[in-house]
Amino acid sequence: MEVQLTRQDSTLLRASFDVARRAAEKGNHPFGAILADQEGQILLEAENTVVTEDDITGHAETNLVRMIRRESYETELSNFTMYASSEPCAMCAGAIYWGNIGRVVFGLSQERFYSILGGIREQEALVLHTRDVLDRGGRPIEVIGPALEDEAAQVHEGFWS
């Protein structure tokens, strides 16, 4: 069941898909993330860099949180939104929480992602949904998604085969 997005959310989520495509063009996994303010102005963009940086923590969302800190966007991030091309993993959800980002909108669900991979053996998976991680924290973080999931899945077409 997909959620209804505002026009601004749809536009910015699609922009995260473009960032994910750029990551794949550079040889990385096709994931992207964007930080936007309440007016929809894009402040930062981050690609997945797992392959090119040889860093298993180089997910787009964790890279974005690192950039936020380097760029000194430490002021009221609870009013900002992260747009992620796919559902943030448990590690990325933790970075979102500790980064004080107040809202997350994502495209592709973890289940759909794993189905694109052709399934994954249970012992290899760490399926822990973004909502579940963030709900354990002491402050509310709004999570919206999956959204535009068919478009989000297109970013991965042909990449994992």
Side-chain angles (χ1 to χ4, degrees):
M1 178 174 88
E2 290 224 5
V3 298
Q4 294 295 319
L5 297 178
T6 66
R7 180 172 293 163
Q8 178 174 296
D9 284 339
S10 295
T11 298
L12 292 168
L13 186 56
R14 286 183 174 110
S16 78
F17 302 162
D18 292 337
V19 175
R21 285 184 188 92
R22 288 197 306 268
E25 290 168 2
K26 294 175 184 171
N28 288 299
H29 303 147
F31 299 100
I34 289 174
L35 181 70
D37 65 17
Q38 288 176 297
E39 288 75 40
Q41 179 182 349
I42 295 174
L43 304 172
L44 296 169
E45 298 180 349
E47 300 172 4
N48 177 290
T49 58
V50 167
V51 175
T52 56
E53 298 291 326
D54 191 27
D55 179 0
I56 59 171
T57 68
H59 294 191
E61 300 89 344
T62 55
N63 287 339
L64 187 67
V65 171
R66 288 182 190 115
M67 290 172 71
I68 289 167
R69 290 308 197 206
R70 281 194 302 266
E71 298 292 328
S72 299
Y73 281 108
E74 297 178 31
T75 61
E76 203 49 49
L77 289 175
S78 64
N79 293 321
F80 290 23
T81 300
M82 176 187 286
Y83 294 88
S85 60
S86 296
E87 182 174 2
C89 71
M91 174 184 69
C92 292
I96 290 163
Y97 181 82
W98 293 114
N100 295 314
I101 297 167
R103 186 169 180 261
V104 177
V105 178
F106 70 87
L108 191 67
S109 67
Q110 289 182 31
E111 288 83 6
R112 182 94 178 256
F113 172 66
Y114 286 130
S115 75
I116 289 169
L117 293 180
I120 189 166
R121 293 190 329 220
E122 189 173 320
Q123 64 269 28
E124 294 175 346
L126 177 59
V127 180
L128 187 55
H129 293 284
T130 303
R131 280 182 188 84
D132 295 337
V133 174
L134 296 177
D135 283 349
R136 301 294 298 223
R139 63 182 166 279
I141 300 173
E142 182 180 12
V143 178
I144 299 171
L148 307 176
E149 196 166 24
D150 289 339
E151 291 179 48
Q154 289 175 358
V155 175
H156 296 269
E157 284 183 2
F159 184 85
W160 302 101
S161 52

